[in-house]
Amino acid sequence: MIEEDLSIGDKFRLVADLGFDGIELDAPNDLPVAEVLAARDATGLAIPGVVNAAHWKTPLTDPDPAVREACVATTIEALRLAKAYGAETMLLVPGVVNDKTSYAAAYDRAVEGIDRLLPHAEEIGVSIALENVWNDFLLSPLEAAHLVDGFDSPRLGWYFDVGNVMRYGRPSDWIEALGSRIMRIDIKEYSLKRMNAEGPWKGFDVALGEGDIDWAQVNRSLAAIGYNGWVSVEVPGGNRQHLADIKARLDRIVSL
């Protein structure tokens, strides 16, 4: 999101100067680990989690066993890099339903893949946080909760994306159903008006606080389940001025 030509250290410093508390990185990546750790320590920013960088290109539910194997391998690599950063979670999209993968097949393969990954997560000491995205899979909060509960592992939970559910549900319903399974929160804005007039993806083309998400209700729902963890803002990035505006909007949202 930091669209300025800066070193790793200066990017961390920019984020810290704007008042953010942490930063998430894609993993695996080609960033020198020593530079990342030096930037973290110099600025005091936390790296609370990483985002799997390969789960779209090589989904855990692909019909090709070699692709699924590649996803497992890169996910284990991401878990290890997260541990090196001092992160607590790794975001994983659990699967994708499309013309090559049915819903039932995706569920079975996701269960198989997560079952293989959890021993590594437990050994490494980093949790797997599954995210709801537009993957035509796990479209119900009760189904999402059921998947997590099927493993009975403290190293598996949910990375709830507030904006992503607006297309087909209410954020408060998801928060209530997922409850303590929520490990992390992603926020972005969404406009139902723009979705209906211009198409689903256009719903995201609105600034934080200017769409149809009832952020006060989101805050009440999170308070009701006792959530007090990290909130990540996931919106189009930009230069320092743009990021400062994002921070100001974020502060307004969380204070409602």
Side-chain angles (χ1 to χ4, degrees):
M1 289 174 59
I2 306 168
E3 297 177 4
E4 292 202 3
D5 186 16
L6 300 170
S7 68
I8 294 173
D10 286 341
K11 286 188 175 184
F12 269 69
R13 194 167 295 109
L14 185 156
V15 171
D17 288 347
L18 294 178
F20 290 99
D21 299 304
I23 188 167
E24 285 189 321
L25 302 175
D26 285 345
N29 60 56
D30 57 1
L31 302 175
V33 174
E35 287 189 39
V36 172
L37 296 182
R40 179 200 66 183
D41 296 343
T43 59
L45 285 178
I47 305 177
V50 301
V51 178
N52 192 303
H55 53 190
W56 276 116
K57 185 171 64 175
T58 58
L60 199 59
T61 55
D62 194 273
D64 185 345
V67 174
R68 300 200 297 273
E69 191 66 32
C71 186
V72 169
T74 55
T75 299
I76 294 170
E77 186 179 350
L79 287 167
R80 290 176 177 151
L81 188 55
K83 183 66 173 182
Y85 289 155
E88 299 167 343
T89 60
M90 182 218 57
L91 184 155
L92 176 68
V93 171
V96 179
V97 172
N98 53 34
D99 57 357
K100 298 187 300 180
T101 303
S102 71
Y103 207 111
Y107 197 96
D108 289 344
R109 291 170 189 160
V111 168
E112 178 186 5
I114 294 168
D115 193 51
R116 290 183 60 191
L117 289 168
L118 275 175
H120 296 279
E122 290 161 0
E123 178 185 359
I124 294 167
V126 173
S127 298
I128 298 172
L130 307 176
E131 188 189 24
N132 53 291
V133 296
W134 286 10
N135 53 350
D136 293 333
F137 183 47
L138 302 177
L139 300 177
S140 157
L142 298 179
E143 183 183 15
H146 178 75
L147 177 67
V148 171
D149 291 348
F151 294 95
D152 191 27
S153 170
R155 287 296 177 189
L156 184 67
W158 206 264
Y159 204 129
F160 177 60
D161 190 307
V162 177
N164 281 349
V165 302
M166 286 291 289
R167 179 182 175 187
Y168 46 78
R170 296 179 179 86
S172 57
D173 289 343
W174 278 75
I175 295 168
E176 178 186 29
L178 290 171
S180 62
R181 303 170 189 84
I182 296 177
M183 292 178 165
R184 294 283 188 265
I185 297 290
D186 244 350
I187 68 167
K188 58 173 71 79
E189 189 59 78
Y190 198 78
S191 167
L192 296 174
K193 181 179 180 180
R194 293 203 67 172
M195 177 191 79
N196 292 329
E198 305 174 55
W201 286 102
K202 288 296 184 180
F204 292 119
D205 290 347
V206 59
L208 280 174
E210 298 183 15
D212 291 312
I213 297 177
D214 185 343
W215 292 108
Q217 179 59 57
V218 169
N219 291 338
R220 288 193 295 270
S221 297
L222 290 173
I225 65 167
Y227 184 79
N228 62 355
W230 286 90
V231 173
S232 302
V233 58
E234 185 191 18
V235 298
N239 60 17
R240 176 183 289 268
Q241 289 72 31
H242 179 70
L243 296 174
D245 179 65
I246 290 173
K247 180 60 166 62
R249 291 175 180 274
L250 177 62
D251 288 345
R252 287 195 294 271
I253 284 172
V254 300
S255 68
L256 293 174

